[in-house]
Amino acid sequence: MRSIQLNTSIPGPRSRALADRRAQAVPRGVSQLTPVFVSRSEGAVIEDVDGNRFLDFAGGIGCLNAGHRAPGVTSALHAQADRFLHTCFMVTPYESYVRLAERLNALAPGGAPKKTLLLNSGAEAVENAIKIARAYTRRPAVICFEDAFHGRTLLTLALTSKTHPYKAGFEPFPSEIYRLPFGLPEGEIEDAFHKVVAPESVAAIIVEPVQGEGGFNVPPAGWLAALHQVCRKHGIVFIADEVQTGFARTGRMFAIEHEGIEPDLMVTAKSLGGGLPLAAVTGKAEIMDHTGPGSLGGTFGGNPMACEAALAVIEAIEQGGLCERAAQLGARFRERALAWSRQFAAIRDVRGLGAMQAFELADAESTKALTKYCYEHGLILVTAGTYGNVVRILMPLVVTDEQMEEGLDVMEAALKAACLDRTPVEVA
Ligand SMILES: Cc1ncc(COP(=O)(O)O)c(C=O)c1O
């Protein structure tokens, strides 16, 4: 029996003081999902500036599959910090960028020769994938999906689906973006080529193999393969956005592998950098090489610190068997969550792939109340979904069995308390 205790000192005085300064210095548009400020972290645990301990089931929104301060990552960073920090790869290159490109080219699904471009964020990588697809096909249009999330820059906002809080007020967006329902059957996609946009105008279809921010939506089996076929038939570049699904989260290195697809271009970020800002476009060499010298890049893309971290992350995933671990963790969550769904009418759905799992509640208010209960009882969680009513787990895959059970127990207590009752709850 575990006693789930309310921590009345969350947020503590130091976090409260920092929140006041934050409110003065940082715009409201940058949201704050928990009221605590971090002082240190390790594995799957965060400690705040008041000494409170939290299990981190958010992982900086899916960026820490290999864990907070993974040992190989921190030692690689220390060593790199003693050598050099920045030269700009376009000015004075260094080996780690090349080595990471080689690693990603080898890891990317399929046998075609690959090349990799490194960037700073998921949105920047998506923008570059679209640029490359347009240049290669000499076509303007891009097809994306309802409930998609591809970033917050202007082009990626055009691809992102959710209006509030992301898009509203930031119009106009770039043109030639067409949105179809996620999971739309192949025949209806062909129909859209008559009613919505001509296929010979379409440069790319961009899709998340499992939608992340949109609510951990898993498409029907075979749909991604059918979409891939549609792309092949019409000479459209198939872009897999693996920013949230990548690096072992779904039980494979990349989620698209579950369907045996070789994407033309694949976008990665988040967990690639092990906590440092890093993103990549990895794709068929023939497509990636289409644009001329100087057309791609940026000052910081593939920064040496981030490259060293990423090489250590890939090593940690492979050596630590994190794909297998993701499958185990996901199975354990599903077992518990399916039992909750029989016990608590509030749960409307349990879904996911590998360790990318979630449950859906009726509305955003109860979802917010549940996550509040959780952080007040030592568990950090983030929500998702177009309607903000999905509770998702993105814990580091190095979480121990005991920590996993502890986190699940807090979620169960939150459901039992109906997110309102603040008394401690005994969990079996
Ligand atoms: C699938 C997907 N694509 C792109 C992005 C944008 O990444 P970033 O926030 O690094 O720009 C995200 C971020 O959540 C994402 O989940």
Side-chain angles (χ1 to χ4, degrees):
M1 301 283 275
R2 195 195 309 271
S3 178
I4 308 295
Q5 298 288 345
L6 171 69
N7 186 337
T8 49
S9 68
I10 294 173
R14 289 201 170 94
S15 277
R16 279 203 302 272
L18 284 168
D20 288 344
R21 284 171 53 198
R22 180 194 203 276
Q24 293 302 315
V26 180
R28 289 184 313 138
V30 184
S31 59
Q32 185 177 349
L33 302 178
T34 65
V36 295
F37 281 71
V38 64
S39 73
R40 54 186 294 117
S41 68
E42 183 144 19
V45 174
I46 285 178
E47 197 180 298
D48 79 5
V49 287
D50 294 288
N52 297 304
R53 168 193 174 271
F54 299 87
L55 280 173
D56 181 15
F57 276 29
I61 320 190
C63 296
L64 293 157
N65 291 357
H68 282 276
R69 298 198 304 119
V73 171
T74 48
S75 57
L77 288 175
H78 285 299
Q80 181 60 41
D82 286 339
R83 290 195 297 270
F84 61 96
L85 295 179
H86 178 72
T87 59
C88 184
F89 185 72
M90 299 183 300
V91 179
T92 319
Y94 35 89
E95 189 195 345
S96 55
Y97 187 124
V98 178
R99 201 150 26 100
L100 180 57
E102 289 167 349
R103 289 293 270 133
L104 290 171
N105 295 341
L107 285 171
K114 304 285 191 316
K115 290 204 170 180
T116 288
L117 162 72
L118 297 177
L119 304 140
N120 301 292
S121 70
E124 192 189 0
V126 169
E127 294 244 358
N128 276 275
I130 303 294
K131 274 172 65 177
I132 293 166
R134 281 181 169 163
Y136 178 71
T137 58
R138 296 184 189 281
R139 299 174 181 180
V142 180
I143 291 179
C144 57
F145 294 96
E146 289 175 4
D147 300 310
F149 185 92
H150 297 291
R152 284 183 164 95
T153 58
L154 275 174
L155 174 60
T156 59
L157 262 190
L159 299 166
T160 287
S161 181
K162 190 170 173 171
T163 55
H164 293 278
Y166 302 135
K167 301 178 74 152
F170 296 117
E171 305 89 344
F173 301 116
S175 61
E176 291 305 314
I177 306 294
Y178 299 88
R179 189 177 309 286
L180 300 178
F182 187 65
L184 188 73
E186 189 182 344
E188 292 177 47
I189 293 174
E190 290 291 350
D191 202 34
F193 290 144
H194 295 285
K195 294 178 180 168
V196 179
V197 58
E200 67 272 21
S201 297
V202 180
I205 295 183
I206 182 163
V207 64
E208 297 158 87
V210 177
Q211 290 185 323
E213 303 303 304
F216 281 26
N217 308 316
V218 185
W223 180 70
L224 288 166
L227 195 64
H228 186 232
Q229 272 310 110
V230 168
C231 287
R232 291 179 68 144
K233 180 174 161 195
H234 296 287
I236 296 169
V237 173
F238 181 99
I239 305 174
D241 181 342
E242 293 264 4
V243 168
Q244 195 155 156
T245 49
F247 300 101
R249 176 56 48 186
T250 70
R252 307 291 287 267
M253 190 59 97
F254 303 108
I256 203 78
E257 293 173 35
H258 290 279
E259 295 251 356
I261 295 169
E262 177 171 14
D264 297 312
L265 300 178
M266 183 174 79
V267 179
T268 53
K270 287 196 185 277
S271 277
L272 168 64
L276 270 76
L278 184 65
V281 182
T282 302
K284 292 181 177 165
E286 178 206 351
I287 302 175
M288 295 292 292
D289 262 341
H290 195 76
T291 72
S295 59
L296 305 173
T299 306
F300 277 115
N303 173 271
M305 296 290 276
C307 287
E308 288 293 342
L311 287 161
V313 163
I314 293 168
E315 190 73 8
I317 291 172
E318 290 181 339
Q319 297 306 314
L322 295 188
C323 289
E324 297 72 26
R325 182 63 179 153
Q328 277 171 10
L329 292 167
R332 181 59 185 143
F333 174 87
R334 283 190 72 77
E335 199 181 340
R336 294 280 300 260
L338 288 170
W340 300 336
S341 70
R342 291 187 287 273
Q343 204 180 343
F344 304 109
I347 295 186
R348 302 206 307 200
D349 191 25
V350 176
R351 57 177 179 258
L353 186 64
M356 191 171 176
Q357 295 286 334
F359 59 81
E360 184 179 313
L361 300 175
D363 51 51
E365 285 67 41
S366 50
T367 309
K368 252 192 217 141
L370 185 135
T371 54
K372 181 169 186 286
Y373 179 101
C374 287
Y375 70 66
E376 286 176 344
H377 293 78
L379 174 68
I380 292 174
L381 276 178
V382 282
T383 61
T386 297
Y387 306 102
N389 62 338
V390 176
V391 177
R392 58 175 155 167
I393 54 164
L394 285 169
M395 64 281 166
L397 300 173
V398 295
V399 67
T400 64
D401 286 343
E402 204 193 351
Q403 290 169 336
M404 184 69 184
E405 293 308 316
E406 187 184 337
L408 293 170
D409 288 351
V410 175
M411 280 186 234
E412 182 170 319
L415 288 160
K416 276 195 178 144
C419 318
L420 295 170
D421 182 353
R422 284 163 172 255
T423 54
V425 176
E426 291 296 316
V427 179

